[in-house]
Structures are given as C-alpha cells and as structure tokens.
Amino acid sequence: MTRLFLAAALLAAVPTFVHAQTAPMGYIEGAIGISLISDVETEDYIIDVPGFGTFAGHAEADYNTEFTGGAEIGLTTGRWGFGASWDFTSAQLDEDRVRGTLDGSPFNEEITDDQLAEDFGISLDNNVHVVAGNVSFNFGPPDAGFRPYIGAGLGAAVFEKASTEFAVTATLGARFTLGPRSYVGGRYRLTHIGGPQDDAGVEFDPLTYHTFSLLLGLYFGG
C-alpha cells in the first residue's frame, strides 16, 4: 500500500515538474560588440560636378570596423524562443572609390567622404537601426547551464540618410547561466539589407554585415 501511495504521488508530481521546466519565461538582454560591413556600391548615376562637368558612374565604399550595440526582449518556452530585437551600427567610411567618366573622360579616383558628398552628391557614412522579430531554437534543455542556439529574424533597417528597407538576420550564439535569473553569452549575427536609396535619390546595392557581440541578460516571470 505504501509503495502504491508513493507511486501515485510521483505520477502526480511529474506534470508539475515538467511544467516547471517548460513554463514560458520572459527574457531581456543587452548586446555590445563590433560590426564588419561588406563593401558597398551605388548603382550607376549621373550628376553635374561644379567646375568639372558631368559625372556618370558609381561609387564604392570600404568601411571601418565599428562598435555596435543592441537589445532584445522576448519569451522562451521549452527549447524555443521568440523575441523582438534592436541593433545599432554606425557605418563610417575607411575608403571611397569613384569610377566612371567625368565630362566624357575616364575617372577612377579615391576621394574623401567630404569630397564625395560635396562634389558627387552622395554620402556613404550612415547610422543603421535594425528592428526585427526573431525565432530561435535552443539545443540545451531549459535548465541547462550552457545553451547554444540558432535563430532567424525578419524586420526593417532604418537608415539615418536613406530609405527604410527590408532586413533579414541569421544568428548563432550561446548563453551561460550565472544564476537563477541571469546569464551571459556570445552571439554572431549576419544581417542582409535590401538596397536603400539615399536622400539625394542615389540607389545602393543590397548590403551585408557581420556582428560579433557579448550578451548580458535577465529572465523574468515563469
């Protein structure tokens, strides 16, 4: 009889235990890191350059490695996570190249961003805010101290000096438990953005950048 009672108590406790392990729990995290931006090109365009004639061609840009930051808030349930993220990157030029013709003659020069803006009508420096909805899958169980994960997101990239464009993200990361409600982690995120149009009407090719970040987060609820 005692064994039957213990077995019944154990069976009754199992659903509660499972619920405790898989109950939805909110999370909020901050991120800081660096971003590596691929070379960016404009589409061909034509513009009058005062004192020189008409330029027809395109511009190419190499960017510096820049610091980046962001935040995410969401819900984790079992091995799945659902969140909304914001990532910020400041794209500052390292080198500009302008290729085409100037008043009918071949033109291929490296110039400063100030010259590019003043003489050729475009600026390749920009601040980018990416807002996305994300879904992730954790390879570790909810109570694991180490939880690697993969994720993907869809959203919008908001440029300081250009049009807002569709953005797609892919993420690979891991979280390490510090305590019952806190964790640290690392994350790699690939962001691909549709080609924007700047305030002067110049169109850019789609751009891609890579972000490597450290994370600090808290769980709540559950």
Side-chain angles (χ1 to χ4, degrees):
M1 185 68 180
T2 302
R3 291 180 180 179
L4 182 60
F5 176 80
L6 291 175
L10 179 60
L11 290 173
V14 167
T16 303
F17 176 78
V18 171
H19 176 75
Q21 295 299 304
T22 61
M25 180 177 293
Y27 69 90
I28 184 169
E29 65 185 28
I32 187 169
I34 59 172
S35 62
L36 307 176
I37 303 173
S38 60
D39 293 353
V40 176
E41 293 187 11
T42 71
E43 299 290 337
D44 288 339
Y45 69 102
I46 298 174
I47 190 172
D48 290 328
V49 181
F52 294 95
T54 300
F55 171 79
H58 67 277
E60 303 172 358
D62 291 334
Y63 285 94
N64 294 311
T65 299
E66 298 290 342
F67 286 103
T68 183
E72 183 167 335
I73 186 168
L75 182 73
T76 179
T77 175
R79 291 178 180 264
W80 292 95
F82 305 91
S85 63
W86 162 74
D87 292 299
F88 169 79
T89 296
S90 178
Q92 302 297 317
L93 281 170
D94 179 39
E95 186 177 79
D96 300 330
R97 293 183 298 274
V98 177
R99 304 181 188 274
T101 61
L102 184 58
D103 206 22
S105 299
F107 187 86
N108 185 352
E109 297 287 342
E110 295 182 4
I111 62 178
T112 67
D113 187 55
D114 289 340
Q115 290 174 315
L116 189 67
E118 182 177 348
D119 296 334
F120 293 87
I122 61 174
S123 175
L124 297 177
D125 283 340
N126 225 315
N127 293 325
V128 187
H129 302 262
V130 176
V131 181
N134 307 294
V135 60
S136 60
F137 177 78
N138 295 281
F139 292 99
D143 59 345
F146 171 63
R147 299 190 80 194
Y149 67 94
I150 58 173
L154 299 175
V158 182
F159 291 85
E160 179 186 13
K161 304 174 186 176
S163 58
T164 298
E165 297 295 334
F166 182 69
V168 179
T169 67
T171 302
L172 176 65
R175 297 183 177 97
F176 303 83
T177 299
L178 291 178
R181 295 284 181 174
S182 60
Y183 61 88
V184 295
R187 184 187 74 194
Y188 161 72
R189 176 164 285 169
L190 171 69
T191 302
H192 181 78
I193 302 171
Q197 183 178 50
D198 75 1
D199 293 342
V202 177
E203 295 184 0
F204 291 79
D205 289 341
L207 62 101
T208 300
Y209 64 89
H210 310 266
T211 303
F212 301 86
S213 302
L214 297 176
L215 308 175
L216 177 61
L218 296 171
Y219 292 115
F220 58 90

